[in-house]
Amino acid sequence: MKNKFLNIIGIIGVIIAIAITIFIKKEETMLGKFNLNALENAEQIVNDSVAKARKETEDLVSIKDKTYMNFLRPLMDIDAKLQQITFPIYHLNDVNNSLETQKIVDAILPVLSNYSSDMVRHKGIYNGVLYIKKNEYETLNFEQKKVVDDSIKGFEIAGVALPEDKQKQLKEIASKLSKLSNDFSNNIIAANKKNKILITDENILGEMPASDKTAAKTKDGWEFSLLAPSFIPFMKYVTDRKLREEMYKNSSTRAPENEKLIPEILKLRNEKAKILGFKNYADLAFQFRDAKLPATAEKYLYSIAEIAKPAAQKEFSELKEFSKIDIESWDIAYYSRILQKERYSLDEAETKPYFEMNETIDGVMSVISEILDIKFKPRNADIWDPNVRYFDVLRDNKIIAGLYLDLQTRESKKSGAWANNMSVHHRDKENKEHLAEAIIVANFPVGTKDNPSLLTLNDLSTLFHEMGHAVHLMLSTVDERDVSGYDVDWDVVEFPSQFLESFWLNKTVLKKIGKHYKTGEIIPDDLIERVIAADHFQKGMHLVRQLEFGIFDLELYQKENLTVENVQSILDDVRKRVAVIKIPDYNKFQNTFSHIFVGGYAAGYYSYLWAESLAADAYMAFDGNPFNKELAHKYRDTVLAFGDSKPMSELYIEFLGRNPKPESLLQYYGLK
C-alpha cells in the first residue's frame, strides 16, 4: 500500500515536472517573435487596442476592494499588452524608415499621446493607488512599495489634482510635443540621405583603410554620405581640405527645418512645467534624478571644466602647432589622426583588420559571458532585416532573456546607436513570469562576403556600451514591471553602459577579442599597448565637448521665451566658456541635437558625465582585472538585478560598500 502510494506520488511528480517544462518551453518560445506584420492595418489596430486599454482600465477602477494584485499588477499588464502593439511600429520607423512608416507613426501619435496624457492624470487610478497605500502598503515587498510610491509621485507631478481646463491643456501640449519630436527626427533622417559627395580620384582618399573605400565604392568612384560610417572616415582621411569643409558644412547645416521647431519644443515644455507648478522644465525634469537639482548638475559640470579646459587648450595648441595651418573645425579629425599615428604609431588601418564585425560580436559576448557568468546562444528568429542576429541569453543553462542585434548601417535607419527594450522581466496578474528582450541598434560599416565589415575602436567601445544597457535590462530579476530593467533615474541610466564600455580597453579583454580576419593572428601585445596608450589622446578636448552639450542643454531648459536667435546666443556663450575649438557661424549643431529635442535627455544630457563618474569609480575598483568574479557577480546581483526597485545610490553601496569617489572620472581620464 505504501509503495502504491509512493508510486502515485511519483507519477504526479513526473506530470507536474512535465507541465512545468512545457510551461517554461512555452515562455521561451515566446522570445524571438518580433511582429513583422506590425505595419499592416496598424492605425486601426492601435485605435482598437487603446480603446480596449481604456475599457479595461475603467473596469479595474470600478473594483471596490482594491489590492496590489487585483489592481496594480493588471494595470501594468495593460501597459505591457499595448507596448506589444506599438513597439514594433516605432522600431520599424527607426530602423526601416519610409514614407509608409512615417505616415503610420504620424497617424497613431495623437491617439497614443492622448491616451498617455489621460492615464498619467487619471484620478480613478490615482485614488486606487492611494487606497492601496493606506490599506496594504505595510504588507507589500520592497519592489511593490517602490511601484506604489513612484506611482503616487508620478501622478502628483503630472498634475492629477489640476482643474479640468489645465488637464486639457497638458494633453494638448503632449500631443503637440509628440508631433514636433517626430518631425525633428524625420527631418534628420531625410537630411542624412542627401548631400552626398562623389570622389573620382582615389589619391584624394589618402590613407583611408581599404574596408572604408570598399564600402563607399560605386561604379563612378567613391560616394560618401552624412551617415557616421561614411562621414567619419571621410573627415579623417580625405586629403582635399575644401572637400572636407564641404562635407563638414553639409553635416553642420543639416535639417534647417528643425531650427524653427526648437523654440516651439522649448516653449511647450516650459508651459507644461509652469502648469504643473514648477519654475521651468529643468526643475520638473529633476524630480526623478539622482542629482536632485539642476544647480547640483551644473556645479558638477563646471568642476570638471576647471581641469578639463586647460588640458583641452594644451591639446589643441599641440594640434595647431603640429598642423602648421590656421586649423579649422573640418581639419580636427584629419590632423588628430595623423598626430595620433605619429605619437603612438597607431592608425585605424592597422587596428581594423583585428575586429571583423561578426568575430568581434562573438568575442565581446564571450567576454561578457565570462564576466557575468551568462551565455549567448544564437538561433533563428523573426527578423526585420537579413543582417539582424538573434540570441537566447542563458544563466545556469536556463533561458532568461533574448537579444536582437541590428548593427550594420543603412539609409533607412536612424543615425547613432541605441538599446531598446521589447519587453522587461516581470510577472503578470496571474503571477506568470515574462522574460526580457533587448534590441541593440548601431550603424557599423556594411560588410560583404569578399569585404567584411571591419570595426573601428570607436565601434568596439560602442558595442560594449550598448551591451551594457542590454545586460542591465536582461539580467533584471525584478517581478514588478514598472521598476524592472534599465528604467532607472535618468542621470544614472548610463552607468551600467559606460561601466561595461570601460572593459574593452583592457589587455586581457583585447587579446580575447582581437583576431586578424585574414590570418587569424591574435592582436599583438605591442599594438594593444599602443591602443591603450592612445586612449588618453585628446581626452581634454573630448570632455569639453561633452561639457558644451551638457551645459547648453541645462541652460536652455532653465530659460523662457527663447527665439531661434536666443538659442544660438546661449550656445555661443557656452562655447566661449568651455570650448577650445573655433566653430564657424554657419554651424547649426542644435538642429540635429536629437538627444534633448527627441530623446529623453531634455535637461539631462549632463547624465552622461554624471553616470560616467560612477562607471569610472566602479571600473577602478576592479584594479585592472575585469574577470574578478567576486566583484563582477556582486555587480550583477545588485546594480543589474534590482533595476529601479532600489535607488542607485543604495545599490552602489551594496555593490562596493561605499559611495563613489567624485575624482575617479578625472583620474580615469588621466587628467588628475
Side-chain angles (χ1 to χ4, degrees), residues 10 27 85 98 121 253 291 389 485 518 644:
E27 175 58 34
I85 301 295
S98 66
R121 283 177 288 277
T253 58
R389 295 177 66 185
K518 284 185 176 178
D644 191 40

Side-chain angles (χ1 to χ4, degrees), residues 365-589:
M365 289 186 163
S366 175
V367 166
I368 294 172
S369 297
E370 189 173 348
I371 292 172
L372 298 175
D373 203 14
I374 58 176
K375 292 179 182 177
F376 296 91
K377 184 179 179 181
R379 71 168 170 88
N380 293 329
D382 297 329
I383 55 176
W384 53 91
D385 186 270
N387 291 317
V388 174
R389 295 177 66 185
Y390 184 83
F391 300 83
D392 285 326
V393 183
L394 295 86
R395 182 175 173 185
D396 298 326
N397 293 318
K398 177 186 175 185
I399 294 176
I400 59 167
L403 173 66
Y404 285 94
L405 297 182
D406 182 358
L407 302 181
Q408 295 192 59
T409 193
R410 51 185 176 270
E411 282 193 349
S412 60
K413 186 189 286 188
K414 192 169 72 173
S415 59
W418 65 92
N420 263 341
N421 65 308
M422 244 179 88
S423 60
V424 300
H425 179 271
H426 66 284
R427 291 186 179 276
D428 61 23
K429 64 183 179 182
E430 307 297 337
N431 218 33
K432 176 188 172 185
E433 183 181 30
H434 295 261
L435 304 183
E437 277 191 289
I439 297 178
I440 293 178
V441 182
N443 278 278
F444 296 160
V446 176
T448 65
K449 184 178 180 181
D450 297 326
N451 297 286
S453 174
L454 303 181
L455 305 187
T456 66
L457 297 179
N458 184 63
D459 292 334
L460 180 58
S461 71
T462 296
L463 182 56
F464 269 90
H465 180 99
E466 300 306 335
M467 284 296 296
H469 282 307
V471 295
H472 194 188
L473 174 79
M474 298 186 298
L475 298 190
S476 175
T477 58
V478 175
D479 288 334
E480 307 308 321
R481 184 177 183 273
D482 281 6
V483 292
S484 183
Y486 57 41
D487 192 15
V488 297
D489 284 349
W490 198 255
D491 49 5
V492 290
V493 73
E494 296 293 335
F495 163 36
S497 57
Q498 290 172 326
F499 172 62
L500 193 59
E501 182 183 344
S502 303
F503 282 87
W504 83 267
L505 203 71
N506 176 278
K507 184 174 181 178
T508 307
V509 170
L510 285 171
K511 294 291 276 188
K512 288 176 178 285
I513 295 172
K515 185 171 72 171
H516 200 286
Y517 79 103
K518 284 185 176 178
T519 67
E521 175 200 9
I522 302 299
I523 186 170
D525 290 345
D526 75 296
L527 181 54
I528 289 176
E529 287 164 9
R530 284 182 280 136
V531 166
I532 293 173
D535 182 60
H536 286 162
F537 181 67
Q538 294 184 346
K539 281 295 187 185
M541 288 170 64
H542 164 75
L543 269 179
V544 296
R545 186 75 167 140
Q546 291 297 102
L547 291 168
E548 176 187 319
F549 298 161
I551 295 170
F552 170 58
D553 167 44
L554 283 174
E555 294 204 4
L556 275 185
Y557 284 106
Q558 291 182 85
K559 291 183 168 59
E560 299 180 57
N561 304 317
L562 294 177
T563 63
V564 168
E565 293 74 24
N566 295 148
V567 170
Q568 186 64 56
S569 178
I570 290 169
L571 181 55
D572 292 342
D573 185 57
V574 171
R575 283 171 172 162
K576 286 176 185 175
R577 278 178 272 157
V578 298
V580 297
I581 298 170
K582 182 172 64 176
I583 304 295
D585 291 339
Y586 61 71
N587 181 299
K588 300 296 178 184
F589 150 76

Side-chain angles (χ1 to χ4, degrees), residues 240-310:
D240 189 316
R241 196 180 184 208
K242 287 186 178 180
L243 284 177
R244 292 203 308 271
E245 181 180 6
E246 182 184 347
M247 180 65 92
Y248 173 85
K249 191 169 186 177
N250 289 346
S251 176
S252 61
T253 58
R254 273 179 300 169
E257 310 93 331
N258 287 346
E259 187 173 60
K260 292 182 179 179
L261 301 187
I262 291 171
E264 294 183 55
I265 292 170
L266 293 171
K267 181 184 176 185
L268 288 170
R269 284 178 174 164
N270 253 326
E271 282 181 15
K272 174 182 176 180
K274 295 274 182 155
I275 291 169
L276 294 171
F278 295 94
K279 184 179 178 181
N280 51 53
Y281 185 79
D283 282 350
L284 168 61
F286 272 73
Q287 295 306 302
F288 284 99
R289 297 282 170 80
D290 188 54
K292 307 302 181 190
L293 297 169
T296 304
E298 280 192 294
K299 183 180 178 182
Y300 169 68
L301 294 180
Y302 279 113
S303 71
I304 294 175
E306 287 180 10
I307 294 173
K309 186 171 183 181

Side-chain angles (χ1 to χ4, degrees), residues 334-348:
Y334 181 77
Y335 284 103
S336 292
R337 176 189 63 81
I338 298 171
L339 176 58
Q340 185 181 44
K341 182 180 179 181
E342 184 175 291
R343 184 174 292 177
Y344 302 103
S345 299
L346 187 68
D347 190 83
E348 282 180 357

